[in-house]
């Protein structure tokens, strides 16, 4: 492939900071770089407390422990998402109640949620697909009314915002009780593998740190708050090493530049493909008024599975790799038998017709646009 689907961005300072971390002689977790990164996110986006994790998957697992999911508890989430969104709660014995996507966007349909709530419901997990906000205001209101926790799977949603009806603008990941971000190499800001838990509800702050450090109060110990540390809760090794945090720091220094570039590529696709898409019955992503675009992903909504296959093959023939995305989780081999049988038509539709175009810092976007415009409906 001349044009891969993704190419990790490097600022050039990654190995410099890694070398510095090594020279400092402390390369396990929660050192200087971990704290610099966490403070950066807290200051820039208004998260109350951030903890770097080894992945977004790990951050979601922490969230499931923090909201005290017990066997039989129900958790509502979209079917059109990554496996980890659900798996983190399955590990604690939850029953997943899958919701459908909106008809105009892969995000969870906020209007479908109320009818899914039962006496066993404990949490709603929203996924900000492509970094575009779910409709958080009605979702938070519903959660409050039914005393539920809201967890944001913000894996794709760094540097994106939601605007409330009164004009208040809040960063995605700062609205729910807890939020999980990913720094996997396919995301906007990367550290190879990596992630972060944002804790917005004060009641979770202390326990989050303990779960993060294998169930010990080691963080308090290092701050001098207690004179010895021990085992006080469940937990795991959720924190990344300083080497990972040092890599991430080099990315954060360039966050504005990365974001400007990614948004420009997204805009080029959006503007220059508009009439071609219309002529072929293909839909382009729309950003609702309450959301912003963080340039994470550009996708096409094809007319049919056949048309999507034809688009993918056309690009492939020109050395360009475009890829489809999630397969509805309620139909997965693992969950099919556990699902309650409701059909989720929009989730299944996006499974069949959505295709993602290459989007990375060094992409020659004009070339992809030129090749796509040669595609005529089959
Ligand atoms: C990437 C992604 C994840 C998983 O992130 P990791 O850091 O690889 O664990 C989870 N949920 C969504 C929506 C994602 O896009």
């Amino acid at each position: 492939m001349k044009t891969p689907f993704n190419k990790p961005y490097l600022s050039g300072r990654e190995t410099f900071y890694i070398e510095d971390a090594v020279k400092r002689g402390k390369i396990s977790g929660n050192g200087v770089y971990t704290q610099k990164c966490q403070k950066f996110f807290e200051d820039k986006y208004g998260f109350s407390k951030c903890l770097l994790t080894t992945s977004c998957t790990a951050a979601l697992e922490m969230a499931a422990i923090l909201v005290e999911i017990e066997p039989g508890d129900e958790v509502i989430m979209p079917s059109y998402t990554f496996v980890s969104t659900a798996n983190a709660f399955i590990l604690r014995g939850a029953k997943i109640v899958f919701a459908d996507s909106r008809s105009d966007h892969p995000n969870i349909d906020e209007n479908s949620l109320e009818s899914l709530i039962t006496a066993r419901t404990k949490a709603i997990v929203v996924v900000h697909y492509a970094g575009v906000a779910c409709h958080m205001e009605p979702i938070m209101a519903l959660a409050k009314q039914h005393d539920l926790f809201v967890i944001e799977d913000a894996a794709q949603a760094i540097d994106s915002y939601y605007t409330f009806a009164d004009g208040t603008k809040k960063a995605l990941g700062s609205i729910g009780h807890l939020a999980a971000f990913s720094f996997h190499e396919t995301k906007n800001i990367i550290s190879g593998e990596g992630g972060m838990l944002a804790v917005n509800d004060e009641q979770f702050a202390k326990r989050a740190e303990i779960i993060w450090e294998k169930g010990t109060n080691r963080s308090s110990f290092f701050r001098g708050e207690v004179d010895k540390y021990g085992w006080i809760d469940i937990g795991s090794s959720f924190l990344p090493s300083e080497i990972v945090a040092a890599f991430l720091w080099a990315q954060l220094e360039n966050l504005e530049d990365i974001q400007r570039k990614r948004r420009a590529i997204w805009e080029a696709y959006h503007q220059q493909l508009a009439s071609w898409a219309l002529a072929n019955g293909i839909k382009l992503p729309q950003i609702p008024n309450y959301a912003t675009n963080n340039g994470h992903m550009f996708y096409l909504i094809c007319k049919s599975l056949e048309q999507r296959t034809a688009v993918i093959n056309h690009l492939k023939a020109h050395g360009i790799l475009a890829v489809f995305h999630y397969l509805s989780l309620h139909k997965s081999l693992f969950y099919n038998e556990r699902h309650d049988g409701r059909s989720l038509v929009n989730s299944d539709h996006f499974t069949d017709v959505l295709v993602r175009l290459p989007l990375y810092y060094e992409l020659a976007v004009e070339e992809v646009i030129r090749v796509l415009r040669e595609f005529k409906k089959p």
Side-chain angles (χ1 to χ4, degrees), residues 349-361:
H349 183 63
F350 291 120
T351 296
D352 288 342
V353 303
L354 186 148
V355 56
R356 296 173 291 160
L357 303 182
L359 203 173
Y360 51 89
Y361 193 94

Side-chain angles (χ1 to χ4, degrees), residues 17 20 71 88 103 125 184 231 233 284 298 322 338 343 367:
Y17 289 127
D20 181 57
S103 59
V125 185
H184 184 265
W231 186 17
D233 201 339
L284 302 183
F298 194 87
R338 295 167 170 88
S343 67
E367 162 74 359

Side-chain angles (χ1 to χ4, degrees), residues 46-252:
F47 308 132
S48 308
K49 181 186 183 66
C50 289
L51 295 171
L52 292 191
T53 56
T54 50
S55 64
C56 177
T57 302
L60 288 163
E61 287 172 13
M62 287 182 72
I65 295 172
L66 283 167
V67 301
E68 296 181 60
I69 298 294
E70 285 163 14
D73 286 348
E74 294 177 7
V75 179
I76 300 170
M77 65 178 66
S79 179
Y80 194 76
T81 183
F82 188 60
V83 175
S84 295
T85 319
N87 201 44
F89 295 87
I90 290 286
L91 284 173
R92 312 236 54 87
K95 177 184 169 202
I96 308 297
V97 177
F98 286 114
D100 206 357
S101 296
R102 294 167 56 110
S103 59
D104 61 351
H105 197 279
N107 277 346
I108 200 163
D109 180 357
E110 66 277 7
N111 294 314
S112 75
L113 298 179
E114 187 149 32
S115 66
L116 301 177
I117 296 172
T118 73
R120 306 267 0 217
T121 308
K122 193 119 184 214
I124 298 172
V125 185
V126 298
V127 179
H128 303 299
Y129 187 78
V132 173
C134 293
H135 206 341
M136 293 308 287
E137 191 155 14
I139 294 172
M140 294 309 292
L142 187 69
K144 191 164 183 200
Q145 190 190 330
H146 293 270
D147 202 18
L148 308 175
F149 294 114
V150 174
I151 297 147
E152 300 178 69
D153 180 338
Q156 306 171 11
I158 198 72
D159 201 42
S160 204
Y161 294 81
Y162 176 81
T163 306
F164 288 80
D166 69 0
T168 315
K169 206 169 162 180
K170 291 189 85 175
L172 300 189
S174 73
I175 303 167
H177 300 84
L178 297 161
F181 287 90
S182 176
F183 307 122
H184 184 265
E185 72 168 19
T186 51
K187 308 300 202 261
N188 291 27
I189 302 296
I190 62 174
S191 60
E193 301 280 352
M196 180 172 74
L197 180 75
V199 181
N200 300 314
D201 185 331
E202 186 56 35
Q203 67 169 303
F204 297 122
K206 253 195 124 111
R207 190 165 180 237
E209 229 174 41
I210 292 161
I211 290 165
W212 190 55
E213 281 271 28
K214 303 109 184 159
T216 72
N217 55 350
R218 186 177 175 157
S219 301
S220 312
F221 174 72
F222 279 127
R223 281 195 301 264
E225 293 163 8
V226 290
D227 56 12
K228 57 179 187 292
Y229 82 85
W231 186 17
I232 58 173
D233 201 339
I234 62 165
S236 191
S237 184
F238 286 118
L239 70 173
S241 85
E242 276 288 286
I243 295 174
V244 170
F247 188 108
L248 185 62
W249 182 249
Q251 298 266 314
L252 295 184

